[in-house]
Amino acid sequence: MQVLYLFAGAKRHSSLAGSLRSASKGSSLKVNTKEIDILQGGRGHDLLRKATRKSVISAVQKGRYDMVVASPPCNTFSRARGANLQGPPQVRSKEHPRGFPWLNGARARQVCDANILLEFTTTVLAAQLRQGGLALLEHPEDLGYAGKAGTPGSIWQLPEVRSLTQEPGVTTGALRQSAYGTSYMKPTRLLGRLQG
């Protein structure tokens, strides 16, 4: 089984790749996971580079992977932004899920980069799903109204993400990662097609 894991993060013991290898031990299923993340492959894994994105999309469209997993950066979508005066300010809201139009400088670039990566993610997952392949998207849950901060922007509000649910066999659900060992709740939504 060929698995592509986008935004895999730094190499670590309990990574998805390691978990898949452990789960397939002793079975006839051999799992090969290609992890793509700038923290692992530097410039060659920089998905902000158009050529890198184009190469990945092409590989998925050619059917090279049985499964594609993506967990795009969530920092600009974080509910923690604007929650208090100690942290970074909000850069998105439900009314402006692609970023506040008045942003400039480093914050505007950060939102623009995150939007590019999210557009790439939905393009790749849509290509995988249309071919009948397995796919999984992981991102923080949209918890709605957040008091003074209003309702933060969430990828789950975006039409291109919501349209993925229209593909046959795709389902979505939420969980708290604390049920699986994190030291804080970390509400997370998963979307995808995973048989069984």
Side-chain angles (χ1 to χ4, degrees), residues 4-10 12 16 34-40 45-48 53 69-74 113-114 116-122 124-125 137-139:
L4 173 65
Y5 184 14
L6 300 169
F7 312 104
R12 59 197 181 281
L16 176 69
K34 178 174 180 145
E35 296 176 288
I36 296 182
D37 195 289
I38 198 166
L39 296 175
Q40 292 188 31
H45 283 204
D46 187 353
L47 292 168
L48 287 172
R53 292 194 309 273
V69 178
S71 52
C74 59
D113 288 350
I116 289 168
L117 295 175
L118 185 58
E119 181 182 331
F120 160 75
T121 299
T122 57
V124 167
L125 292 175
L137 171 62
E138 177 270 333
H139 214 259

PDB file of all heavy atoms in Angstrom, residues 4-10 12 16 34-40 45-48 53 69-74 113-114 116-122 124-125 137-139:
ATOM      1  N   LEU A   4       0.622   8.606   0.884  1.00  0.00           N
ATOM      2  CA  LEU A   4       1.216   9.936   0.849  1.00  0.00           C
ATOM      3  C   LEU A   4       0.687  10.692   2.055  1.00  0.00           C
ATOM      4  O   LEU A   4      -0.522  10.787   2.257  1.00  0.00           O
ATOM      5  CB  LEU A   4       0.818  10.660  -0.443  1.00  0.00           C
ATOM      6  CG  LEU A   4       1.242  12.125  -0.549  1.00  0.00           C
ATOM      7  CD1 LEU A   4       2.765  12.255  -0.575  1.00  0.00           C
ATOM      8  CD2 LEU A   4       0.628  12.769  -1.797  1.00  0.00           C
ATOM      9  N   TYR A   5       1.610  11.221   2.872  1.00  0.00           N
ATOM     10  CA  TYR A   5       1.222  11.975   4.058  1.00  0.00           C
ATOM     11  C   TYR A   5       1.750  13.401   3.906  1.00  0.00           C
ATOM     12  O   TYR A   5       2.953  13.642   4.006  1.00  0.00           O
ATOM     13  CB  TYR A   5       1.772  11.306   5.316  1.00  0.00           C
ATOM     14  CG  TYR A   5       1.346  11.945   6.627  1.00  0.00           C
ATOM     15  CD1 TYR A   5       0.300  12.857   6.712  1.00  0.00           C
ATOM     16  CD2 TYR A   5       1.998  11.620   7.805  1.00  0.00           C
ATOM     17  CE1 TYR A   5      -0.081  13.420   7.907  1.00  0.00           C
ATOM     18  CE2 TYR A   5       1.623  12.168   9.021  1.00  0.00           C
ATOM     19  CZ  TYR A   5       0.585  13.076   9.063  1.00  0.00           C
ATOM     20  OH  TYR A   5       0.213  13.632  10.265  1.00  0.00           O
ATOM     21  N   LEU A   6       0.845  14.341   3.645  1.00  0.00           N
ATOM     22  CA  LEU A   6       1.193  15.745   3.455  1.00  0.00           C
ATOM     23  C   LEU A   6       1.149  16.487   4.789  1.00  0.00           C
ATOM     24  O   LEU A   6       0.216  16.296   5.563  1.00  0.00           O
ATOM     25  CB  LEU A   6       0.218  16.394   2.467  1.00  0.00           C
ATOM     26  CG  LEU A   6       0.179  15.765   1.083  1.00  0.00           C
ATOM     27  CD1 LEU A   6      -1.001  16.301   0.277  1.00  0.00           C
ATOM     28  CD2 LEU A   6       1.491  16.011   0.354  1.00  0.00           C
ATOM     29  N   PHE A   7       2.137  17.329   5.017  1.00  0.00           N
ATOM     30  CA  PHE A   7       2.281  18.098   6.259  1.00  0.00           C
ATOM     31  C   PHE A   7       2.486  17.136   7.430  1.00  0.00           C
ATOM     32  O   PHE A   7       1.825  17.216   8.460  1.00  0.00           O
ATOM     33  CB  PHE A   7       1.068  19.011   6.490  1.00  0.00           C
ATOM     34  CG  PHE A   7       0.687  19.816   5.283  1.00  0.00           C
ATOM     35  CD1 PHE A   7      -0.412  19.473   4.507  1.00  0.00           C
ATOM     36  CD2 PHE A   7       1.447  20.905   4.894  1.00  0.00           C
ATOM     37  CE1 PHE A   7      -0.759  20.193   3.383  1.00  0.00           C
ATOM     38  CE2 PHE A   7       1.113  21.646   3.764  1.00  0.00           C
ATOM     39  CZ  PHE A   7       0.006  21.286   3.009  1.00  0.00           C
ATOM     40  N   ALA A   8       3.419  16.224   7.256  1.00  0.00           N
ATOM     41  CA  ALA A   8       3.667  15.152   8.222  1.00  0.00           C
ATOM     42  C   ALA A   8       4.320  15.631   9.507  1.00  0.00           C
ATOM     43  O   ALA A   8       4.313  14.913  10.502  1.00  0.00           O
ATOM     44  CB  ALA A   8       4.548  14.084   7.570  1.00  0.00           C
ATOM     45  N   GLY A   9       4.905  16.817   9.501  1.00  0.00           N
ATOM     46  CA  GLY A   9       5.606  17.295  10.680  1.00  0.00           C
ATOM     47  C   GLY A   9       6.997  16.685  10.758  1.00  0.00           C
ATOM     48  O   GLY A   9       7.442  15.968   9.862  1.00  0.00           O
ATOM     49  N   ALA A  10       7.679  16.947  11.858  1.00  0.00           N
ATOM     50  CA  ALA A  10       9.028  16.425  12.059  1.00  0.00           C
ATOM     51  C   ALA A  10       8.966  14.914  12.280  1.00  0.00           C
ATOM     52  O   ALA A  10       7.954  14.382  12.743  1.00  0.00           O
ATOM     53  CB  ALA A  10       9.669  17.102  13.267  1.00  0.00           C
ATOM     54  N   ARG A  12       9.142  11.565  14.059  1.00  0.00           N
ATOM     55  CA  ARG A  12       8.920  11.246  15.469  1.00  0.00           C
ATOM     56  C   ARG A  12       8.499   9.792  15.596  1.00  0.00           C
ATOM     57  O   ARG A  12       8.013   9.191  14.639  1.00  0.00           O
ATOM     58  CB  ARG A  12       7.880  12.185  16.084  1.00  0.00           C
ATOM     59  CG  ARG A  12       6.535  12.160  15.411  1.00  0.00           C
ATOM     60  CD  ARG A  12       5.706  13.393  15.799  1.00  0.00           C
ATOM     61  NE  ARG A  12       4.407  13.381  15.177  1.00  0.00           N
ATOM     62  CZ  ARG A  12       4.167  13.732  13.920  1.00  0.00           C
ATOM     63  NH1 ARG A  12       5.148  14.125  13.134  1.00  0.00           N
ATOM     64  NH2 ARG A  12       2.938  13.697  13.424  1.00  0.00           N
ATOM     65  N   LEU A  16       2.357   8.939  11.966  1.00  0.00           N
ATOM     66  CA  LEU A  16       1.408   8.126  11.212  1.00  0.00           C
ATOM     67  C   LEU A  16       2.139   7.017  10.463  1.00  0.00           C
ATOM     68  O   LEU A  16       1.691   5.865  10.455  1.00  0.00           O
ATOM     69  CB  LEU A  16       0.620   8.998  10.233  1.00  0.00           C
ATOM     70  CG  LEU A  16      -0.330   8.231   9.321  1.00  0.00           C
ATOM     71  CD1 LEU A  16      -1.486   7.650  10.106  1.00  0.00           C
ATOM     72  CD2 LEU A  16      -0.831   9.117   8.207  1.00  0.00           C
ATOM     73  N   LYS A  34       5.168   7.908   2.095  1.00  0.00           N
ATOM     74  CA  LYS A  34       5.999   9.048   1.692  1.00  0.00           C
ATOM     75  C   LYS A  34       5.494  10.247   2.491  1.00  0.00           C
ATOM     76  O   LYS A  34       4.362  10.681   2.333  1.00  0.00           O
ATOM     77  CB  LYS A  34       5.875   9.320   0.198  1.00  0.00           C
ATOM     78  CG  LYS A  34       6.689  10.529  -0.218  1.00  0.00           C
ATOM     79  CD  LYS A  34       6.713  10.741  -1.701  1.00  0.00           C
ATOM     80  CE  LYS A  34       7.555  11.975  -1.977  1.00  0.00           C
ATOM     81  NZ  LYS A  34       8.296  11.887  -3.179  1.00  0.00           N
ATOM     82  N   GLU A  35       6.359  10.735   3.374  1.00  0.00           N
ATOM     83  CA  GLU A  35       6.012  11.881   4.201  1.00  0.00           C
ATOM     84  C   GLU A  35       6.580  13.138   3.565  1.00  0.00           C
ATOM     85  O   GLU A  35       7.768  13.181   3.229  1.00  0.00           O
ATOM     86  CB  GLU A  35       6.576  11.717   5.609  1.00  0.00           C
ATOM     87  CG  GLU A  35       5.981  10.530   6.353  1.00  0.00           C
ATOM     88  CD  GLU A  35       6.626  10.328   7.701  1.00  0.00           C
ATOM     89  OE1 GLU A  35       7.795   9.889   7.735  1.00  0.00           O
ATOM     90  OE2 GLU A  35       5.967  10.622   8.709  1.00  0.00           O
ATOM     91  N   ILE A  36       5.731  14.141   3.412  1.00  0.00           N
ATOM     92  CA  ILE A  36       6.179  15.411   2.851  1.00  0.00           C
ATOM     93  C   ILE A  36       5.947  16.509   3.881  1.00  0.00           C
ATOM     94  O   ILE A  36       4.821  16.743   4.316  1.00  0.00           O
ATOM     95  CB  ILE A  36       5.458  15.740   1.529  1.00  0.00           C
ATOM     96  CG1 ILE A  36       5.809  14.688   0.477  1.00  0.00           C
ATOM     97  CG2 ILE A  36       5.819  17.138   1.046  1.00  0.00           C
ATOM     98  CD1 ILE A  36       5.211  14.917  -0.877  1.00  0.00           C
ATOM     99  N   ASP A  37       7.028  17.146   4.264  1.00  0.00           N
ATOM    100  CA  ASP A  37       6.969  18.275   5.186  1.00  0.00           C
ATOM    101  C   ASP A  37       8.302  19.001   5.129  1.00  0.00           C
ATOM    102  O   ASP A  37       9.354  18.359   5.083  1.00  0.00           O
ATOM    103  CB  ASP A  37       6.691  17.798   6.616  1.00  0.00           C
ATOM    104  CG  ASP A  37       6.266  18.956   7.509  1.00  0.00           C
ATOM    105  OD1 ASP A  37       7.125  19.814   7.840  1.00  0.00           O
ATOM    106  OD2 ASP A  37       5.094  19.022   7.867  1.00  0.00           O
ATOM    107  N   ILE A  38       8.268  20.296   5.158  1.00  0.00           N
ATOM    108  CA  ILE A  38       9.483  21.110   5.101  1.00  0.00           C
ATOM    109  C   ILE A  38      10.414  20.778   6.270  1.00  0.00           C
ATOM    110  O   ILE A  38      11.636  20.906   6.154  1.00  0.00           O
ATOM    111  CB  ILE A  38       9.122  22.616   5.035  1.00  0.00           C
ATOM    112  CG1 ILE A  38      10.304  23.426   4.552  1.00  0.00           C
ATOM    113  CG2 ILE A  38       8.556  23.102   6.345  1.00  0.00           C
ATOM    114  CD1 ILE A  38       9.950  24.835   4.135  1.00  0.00           C
ATOM    115  N   LEU A  39       9.842  20.309   7.389  1.00  0.00           N
ATOM    116  CA  LEU A  39      10.664  19.943   8.544  1.00  0.00           C
ATOM    117  C   LEU A  39      11.455  18.661   8.304  1.00  0.00           C
ATOM    118  O   LEU A  39      12.398  18.367   9.022  1.00  0.00           O
ATOM    119  CB  LEU A  39       9.797  19.780   9.797  1.00  0.00           C
ATOM    120  CG  LEU A  39       9.099  21.041  10.288  1.00  0.00           C
ATOM    121  CD1 LEU A  39       8.168  20.721  11.450  1.00  0.00           C
ATOM    122  CD2 LEU A  39      10.109  22.108  10.681  1.00  0.00           C
ATOM    123  N   GLN A  40      11.072  17.893   7.306  1.00  0.00           N
ATOM    124  CA  GLN A  40      11.789  16.665   6.976  1.00  0.00           C
ATOM    125  C   GLN A  40      12.645  16.807   5.724  1.00  0.00           C
ATOM    126  O   GLN A  40      13.724  16.258   5.654  1.00  0.00           O
ATOM    127  CB  GLN A  40      10.796  15.504   6.756  1.00  0.00           C
ATOM    128  CG  GLN A  40      10.095  15.070   8.003  1.00  0.00           C
ATOM    129  CD  GLN A  40       9.288  13.811   7.780  1.00  0.00           C
ATOM    130  OE1 GLN A  40       9.624  12.962   6.973  1.00  0.00           O
ATOM    131  NE2 GLN A  40       8.203  13.682   8.510  1.00  0.00           N
ATOM    132  N   HIS A  45      10.733  19.824   0.016  1.00  0.00           N
ATOM    133  CA  HIS A  45       9.390  19.504   0.505  1.00  0.00           C
ATOM    134  C   HIS A  45       8.564  20.771   0.720  1.00  0.00           C
ATOM    135  O   HIS A  45       7.484  20.699   1.322  1.00  0.00           O
ATOM    136  CB  HIS A  45       9.471  18.743   1.825  1.00  0.00           C
ATOM    137  CG  HIS A  45       9.829  17.309   1.675  1.00  0.00           C
ATOM    138  ND1 HIS A  45       9.487  16.364   2.619  1.00  0.00           N
ATOM    139  CD2 HIS A  45      10.488  16.635   0.702  1.00  0.00           C
ATOM    140  CE1 HIS A  45       9.933  15.180   2.238  1.00  0.00           C
ATOM    141  NE2 HIS A  45      10.552  15.328   1.088  1.00  0.00           N
ATOM    142  N   ASP A  46       9.053  21.910   0.247  1.00  0.00           N
ATOM    143  CA  ASP A  46       8.356  23.175   0.465  1.00  0.00           C
ATOM    144  C   ASP A  46       7.138  23.255  -0.447  1.00  0.00           C
ATOM    145  O   ASP A  46       7.257  23.524  -1.644  1.00  0.00           O
ATOM    146  CB  ASP A  46       9.302  24.351   0.219  1.00  0.00           C
ATOM    147  CG  ASP A  46       8.687  25.687   0.580  1.00  0.00           C
ATOM    148  OD1 ASP A  46       7.472  25.728   0.903  1.00  0.00           O
ATOM    149  OD2 ASP A  46       9.403  26.701   0.525  1.00  0.00           O
ATOM    150  N   LEU A  47       5.969  23.036   0.106  1.00  0.00           N
ATOM    151  CA  LEU A  47       4.743  23.037  -0.680  1.00  0.00           C
ATOM    152  C   LEU A  47       4.260  24.435  -1.037  1.00  0.00           C
ATOM    153  O   LEU A  47       3.258  24.583  -1.727  1.00  0.00           O
ATOM    154  CB  LEU A  47       3.658  22.241   0.048  1.00  0.00           C
ATOM    155  CG  LEU A  47       3.955  20.735   0.116  1.00  0.00           C
ATOM    156  CD1 LEU A  47       3.010  20.025   1.080  1.00  0.00           C
ATOM    157  CD2 LEU A  47       3.887  20.114  -1.270  1.00  0.00           C
ATOM    158  N   LEU A  48       4.984  25.458  -0.602  1.00  0.00           N
ATOM    159  CA  LEU A  48       4.698  26.807  -1.088  1.00  0.00           C
ATOM    160  C   LEU A  48       5.353  27.035  -2.456  1.00  0.00           C
ATOM    161  O   LEU A  48       5.005  27.981  -3.150  1.00  0.00           O
ATOM    162  CB  LEU A  48       5.166  27.867  -0.082  1.00  0.00           C
ATOM    163  CG  LEU A  48       4.294  27.962   1.172  1.00  0.00           C
ATOM    164  CD1 LEU A  48       4.936  28.890   2.200  1.00  0.00           C
ATOM    165  CD2 LEU A  48       2.884  28.428   0.819  1.00  0.00           C
ATOM    166  N   ARG A  53       4.259  21.642  -5.527  1.00  0.00           N
ATOM    167  CA  ARG A  53       2.817  21.349  -5.505  1.00  0.00           C
ATOM    168  C   ARG A  53       2.391  20.647  -6.791  1.00  0.00           C
ATOM    169  O   ARG A  53       1.657  19.655  -6.756  1.00  0.00           O
ATOM    170  CB  ARG A  53       2.003  22.638  -5.321  1.00  0.00           C
ATOM    171  CG  ARG A  53       2.157  23.281  -3.968  1.00  0.00           C
ATOM    172  CD  ARG A  53       1.109  24.342  -3.690  1.00  0.00           C
ATOM    173  NE  ARG A  53       0.950  25.352  -4.700  1.00  0.00           N
ATOM    174  CZ  ARG A  53       1.657  26.483  -4.787  1.00  0.00           C
ATOM    175  NH1 ARG A  53       2.602  26.738  -3.877  1.00  0.00           N
ATOM    176  NH2 ARG A  53       1.413  27.360  -5.728  1.00  0.00           N
ATOM    177  N   VAL A  69      -3.160  11.323   2.993  1.00  0.00           N
ATOM    178  CA  VAL A  69      -3.515  11.909   4.286  1.00  0.00           C
ATOM    179  C   VAL A  69      -2.947  13.328   4.317  1.00  0.00           C
ATOM    180  O   VAL A  69      -1.795  13.544   3.915  1.00  0.00           O
ATOM    181  CB  VAL A  69      -2.910  11.093   5.454  1.00  0.00           C
ATOM    182  CG1 VAL A  69      -3.239  11.732   6.792  1.00  0.00           C
ATOM    183  CG2 VAL A  69      -3.389   9.647   5.400  1.00  0.00           C
ATOM    184  N   ALA A  70      -3.742  14.283   4.786  1.00  0.00           N
ATOM    185  CA  ALA A  70      -3.266  15.665   4.858  1.00  0.00           C
ATOM    186  C   ALA A  70      -3.707  16.312   6.164  1.00  0.00           C
ATOM    187  O   ALA A  70      -4.857  16.166   6.582  1.00  0.00           O
ATOM    188  CB  ALA A  70      -3.805  16.472   3.676  1.00  0.00           C
ATOM    189  N   SER A  71      -2.779  16.999   6.784  1.00  0.00           N
ATOM    190  CA  SER A  71      -3.094  17.781   7.983  1.00  0.00           C
ATOM    191  C   SER A  71      -2.433  19.152   7.809  1.00  0.00           C
ATOM    192  O   SER A  71      -1.382  19.420   8.379  1.00  0.00           O
ATOM    193  CB  SER A  71      -2.623  17.071   9.251  1.00  0.00           C
ATOM    194  OG  SER A  71      -1.267  16.701   9.142  1.00  0.00           O
ATOM    195  N   PRO A  72      -3.065  20.017   6.968  1.00  0.00           N
ATOM    196  CA  PRO A  72      -2.457  21.319   6.661  1.00  0.00           C
ATOM    197  C   PRO A  72      -2.301  22.193   7.897  1.00  0.00           C
ATOM    198  O   PRO A  72      -3.008  22.003   8.899  1.00  0.00           O
ATOM    199  CB  PRO A  72      -3.435  21.932   5.655  1.00  0.00           C
ATOM    200  CG  PRO A  72      -4.725  21.229   5.881  1.00  0.00           C
ATOM    201  CD  PRO A  72      -4.376  19.858   6.371  1.00  0.00           C
ATOM    202  N   PRO A  73      -1.366  23.148   7.837  1.00  0.00           N
ATOM    203  CA  PRO A  73      -1.107  24.015   8.996  1.00  0.00           C
ATOM    204  C   PRO A  73      -2.379  24.689   9.510  1.00  0.00           C
ATOM    205  O   PRO A  73      -3.214  25.135   8.727  1.00  0.00           O
ATOM    206  CB  PRO A  73      -0.129  25.057   8.449  1.00  0.00           C
ATOM    207  CG  PRO A  73       0.505  24.403   7.263  1.00  0.00           C
ATOM    208  CD  PRO A  73      -0.538  23.497   6.685  1.00  0.00           C
ATOM    209  N   CYS A  74      -2.495  24.741  10.824  1.00  0.00           N
ATOM    210  CA  CYS A  74      -3.710  25.310  11.426  1.00  0.00           C
ATOM    211  C   CYS A  74      -3.441  26.617  12.174  1.00  0.00           C
ATOM    212  O   CYS A  74      -4.369  27.189  12.733  1.00  0.00           O
ATOM    213  CB  CYS A  74      -4.364  24.293  12.355  1.00  0.00           C
ATOM    214  SG  CYS A  74      -3.311  23.742  13.702  1.00  0.00           S
ATOM    215  N   ASP A 113      -0.072  32.413   2.570  1.00  0.00           N
ATOM    216  CA  ASP A 113       0.621  31.115   2.488  1.00  0.00           C
ATOM    217  C   ASP A 113      -0.292  29.978   2.947  1.00  0.00           C
ATOM    218  O   ASP A 113      -0.363  28.929   2.305  1.00  0.00           O
ATOM    219  CB  ASP A 113       1.901  31.125   3.334  1.00  0.00           C
ATOM    220  CG  ASP A 113       3.006  31.981   2.735  1.00  0.00           C
ATOM    221  OD1 ASP A 113       2.873  32.421   1.578  1.00  0.00           O
ATOM    222  OD2 ASP A 113       4.012  32.208   3.445  1.00  0.00           O
ATOM    223  N   ALA A 114      -1.004  30.187   4.061  1.00  0.00           N
ATOM    224  CA  ALA A 114      -1.914  29.151   4.571  1.00  0.00           C
ATOM    225  C   ALA A 114      -3.034  28.880   3.568  1.00  0.00           C
ATOM    226  O   ALA A 114      -3.436  27.732   3.369  1.00  0.00           O
ATOM    227  CB  ALA A 114      -2.483  29.570   5.921  1.00  0.00           C
ATOM    228  N   ILE A 116      -2.838  29.210   0.278  1.00  0.00           N
ATOM    229  CA  ILE A 116      -2.234  28.461  -0.823  1.00  0.00           C
ATOM    230  C   ILE A 116      -2.138  26.979  -0.451  1.00  0.00           C
ATOM    231  O   ILE A 116      -2.491  26.101  -1.245  1.00  0.00           O
ATOM    232  CB  ILE A 116      -0.842  29.021  -1.179  1.00  0.00           C
ATOM    233  CG1 ILE A 116      -0.977  30.383  -1.860  1.00  0.00           C
ATOM    234  CG2 ILE A 116      -0.046  28.048  -2.055  1.00  0.00           C
ATOM    235  CD1 ILE A 116       0.333  31.159  -1.984  1.00  0.00           C
ATOM    236  N   LEU A 117      -1.673  26.702   0.755  1.00  0.00           N
ATOM    237  CA  LEU A 117      -1.518  25.314   1.199  1.00  0.00           C
ATOM    238  C   LEU A 117      -2.868  24.612   1.338  1.00  0.00           C
ATOM    239  O   LEU A 117      -2.996  23.427   1.018  1.00  0.00           O
ATOM    240  CB  LEU A 117      -0.737  25.254   2.510  1.00  0.00           C
ATOM    241  CG  LEU A 117       0.713  25.736   2.418  1.00  0.00           C
ATOM    242  CD1 LEU A 117       1.362  25.757   3.796  1.00  0.00           C
ATOM    243  CD2 LEU A 117       1.524  24.902   1.444  1.00  0.00           C
ATOM    244  N   LEU A 118      -3.885  25.345   1.771  1.00  0.00           N
ATOM    245  CA  LEU A 118      -5.211  24.746   1.898  1.00  0.00           C
ATOM    246  C   LEU A 118      -5.816  24.474   0.520  1.00  0.00           C
ATOM    247  O   LEU A 118      -6.408  23.414   0.294  1.00  0.00           O
ATOM    248  CB  LEU A 118      -6.129  25.637   2.727  1.00  0.00           C
ATOM    249  CG  LEU A 118      -7.495  25.037   3.004  1.00  0.00           C
ATOM    250  CD1 LEU A 118      -7.386  23.698   3.733  1.00  0.00           C
ATOM    251  CD2 LEU A 118      -8.339  26.001   3.804  1.00  0.00           C
ATOM    252  N   GLU A 119      -5.652  25.399  -0.409  1.00  0.00           N
ATOM    253  CA  GLU A 119      -6.149  25.178  -1.777  1.00  0.00           C
ATOM    254  C   GLU A 119      -5.464  23.956  -2.399  1.00  0.00           C
ATOM    255  O   GLU A 119      -6.110  23.118  -3.032  1.00  0.00           O
ATOM    256  CB  GLU A 119      -5.902  26.418  -2.640  1.00  0.00           C
ATOM    257  CG  GLU A 119      -6.418  26.252  -4.056  1.00  0.00           C
ATOM    258  CD  GLU A 119      -6.128  27.465  -4.920  1.00  0.00           C
ATOM    259  OE1 GLU A 119      -6.044  28.587  -4.394  1.00  0.00           O
ATOM    260  OE2 GLU A 119      -5.978  27.270  -6.140  1.00  0.00           O
ATOM    261  N   PHE A 120      -4.165  23.851  -2.194  1.00  0.00           N
ATOM    262  CA  PHE A 120      -3.417  22.691  -2.674  1.00  0.00           C
ATOM    263  C   PHE A 120      -3.972  21.409  -2.049  1.00  0.00           C
ATOM    264  O   PHE A 120      -4.203  20.404  -2.726  1.00  0.00           O
ATOM    265  CB  PHE A 120      -1.930  22.871  -2.335  1.00  0.00           C
ATOM    266  CG  PHE A 120      -1.143  21.602  -2.342  1.00  0.00           C
ATOM    267  CD1 PHE A 120      -0.791  20.988  -3.534  1.00  0.00           C
ATOM    268  CD2 PHE A 120      -0.751  21.005  -1.156  1.00  0.00           C
ATOM    269  CE1 PHE A 120      -0.065  19.802  -3.542  1.00  0.00           C
ATOM    270  CE2 PHE A 120      -0.035  19.828  -1.145  1.00  0.00           C
ATOM    271  CZ  PHE A 120       0.312  19.226  -2.346  1.00  0.00           C
ATOM    272  N   THR A 121      -4.207  21.430  -0.740  1.00  0.00           N
ATOM    273  CA  THR A 121      -4.716  20.263  -0.024  1.00  0.00           C
ATOM    274  C   THR A 121      -6.047  19.803  -0.599  1.00  0.00           C
ATOM    275  O   THR A 121      -6.242  18.611  -0.853  1.00  0.00           O
ATOM    276  CB  THR A 121      -4.882  20.575   1.483  1.00  0.00           C
ATOM    277  OG1 THR A 121      -3.595  20.915   2.025  1.00  0.00           O
ATOM    278  CG2 THR A 121      -5.461  19.411   2.253  1.00  0.00           C
ATOM    279  N   THR A 122      -6.976  20.732  -0.812  1.00  0.00           N
ATOM    280  CA  THR A 122      -8.285  20.339  -1.328  1.00  0.00           C
ATOM    281  C   THR A 122      -8.173  19.836  -2.767  1.00  0.00           C
ATOM    282  O   THR A 122      -8.886  18.905  -3.138  1.00  0.00           O
ATOM    283  CB  THR A 122      -9.312  21.487  -1.230  1.00  0.00           C
ATOM    284  OG1 THR A 122      -8.838  22.639  -1.932  1.00  0.00           O
ATOM    285  CG2 THR A 122      -9.594  21.840   0.221  1.00  0.00           C
ATOM    286  N   VAL A 124      -5.561  18.197  -4.075  1.00  0.00           N
ATOM    287  CA  VAL A 124      -4.979  16.848  -3.989  1.00  0.00           C
ATOM    288  C   VAL A 124      -6.020  15.842  -3.491  1.00  0.00           C
ATOM    289  O   VAL A 124      -6.173  14.760  -4.067  1.00  0.00           O
ATOM    290  CB  VAL A 124      -3.739  16.839  -3.064  1.00  0.00           C
ATOM    291  CG1 VAL A 124      -3.318  15.422  -2.713  1.00  0.00           C
ATOM    292  CG2 VAL A 124      -2.586  17.578  -3.704  1.00  0.00           C
ATOM    293  N   LEU A 125      -6.737  16.193  -2.420  1.00  0.00           N
ATOM    294  CA  LEU A 125      -7.722  15.260  -1.876  1.00  0.00           C
ATOM    295  C   LEU A 125      -8.864  15.013  -2.861  1.00  0.00           C
ATOM    296  O   LEU A 125      -9.329  13.878  -2.998  1.00  0.00           O
ATOM    297  CB  LEU A 125      -8.259  15.768  -0.538  1.00  0.00           C
ATOM    298  CG  LEU A 125      -7.251  15.761   0.607  1.00  0.00           C
ATOM    299  CD1 LEU A 125      -7.850  16.408   1.859  1.00  0.00           C
ATOM    300  CD2 LEU A 125      -6.756  14.368   0.924  1.00  0.00           C
ATOM    301  N   LEU A 137      -8.478  13.931   5.719  1.00  0.00           N
ATOM    302  CA  LEU A 137      -8.119  15.303   6.060  1.00  0.00           C
ATOM    303  C   LEU A 137      -8.310  15.461   7.559  1.00  0.00           C
ATOM    304  O   LEU A 137      -9.351  15.084   8.105  1.00  0.00           O
ATOM    305  CB  LEU A 137      -9.010  16.289   5.304  1.00  0.00           C
ATOM    306  CG  LEU A 137      -8.924  17.767   5.704  1.00  0.00           C
ATOM    307  CD1 LEU A 137      -7.518  18.326   5.457  1.00  0.00           C
ATOM    308  CD2 LEU A 137      -9.966  18.578   4.948  1.00  0.00           C
ATOM    309  N   GLU A 138      -7.305  16.024   8.234  1.00  0.00           N
ATOM    310  CA  GLU A 138      -7.359  16.243   9.682  1.00  0.00           C
ATOM    311  C   GLU A 138      -7.104  17.720   9.947  1.00  0.00           C
ATOM    312  O   GLU A 138      -6.176  18.314   9.402  1.00  0.00           O
ATOM    313  CB  GLU A 138      -6.288  15.380  10.365  1.00  0.00           C
ATOM    314  CG  GLU A 138      -6.185  15.574  11.855  1.00  0.00           C
ATOM    315  CD  GLU A 138      -5.218  16.664  12.286  1.00  0.00           C
ATOM    316  OE1 GLU A 138      -4.256  16.953  11.555  1.00  0.00           O
ATOM    317  OE2 GLU A 138      -5.431  17.249  13.364  1.00  0.00           O
ATOM    318  N   HIS A 139      -7.962  18.323  10.775  1.00  0.00           N
ATOM    319  CA  HIS A 139      -7.800  19.745  11.118  1.00  0.00           C
ATOM    320  C   HIS A 139      -8.622  20.026  12.375  1.00  0.00           C
ATOM    321  O   HIS A 139      -9.578  19.298  12.661  1.00  0.00           O
ATOM    322  CB  HIS A 139      -8.301  20.626   9.962  1.00  0.00           C
ATOM    323  CG  HIS A 139      -7.523  21.887   9.809  1.00  0.00           C
ATOM    324  ND1 HIS A 139      -7.966  23.098  10.266  1.00  0.00           N
ATOM    325  CD2 HIS A 139      -6.325  22.129   9.241  1.00  0.00           C
ATOM    326  CE1 HIS A 139      -7.074  24.036   9.971  1.00  0.00           C
ATOM    327  NE2 HIS A 139      -6.059  23.470   9.360  1.00  0.00           N
TER     328      HIS A 139
END
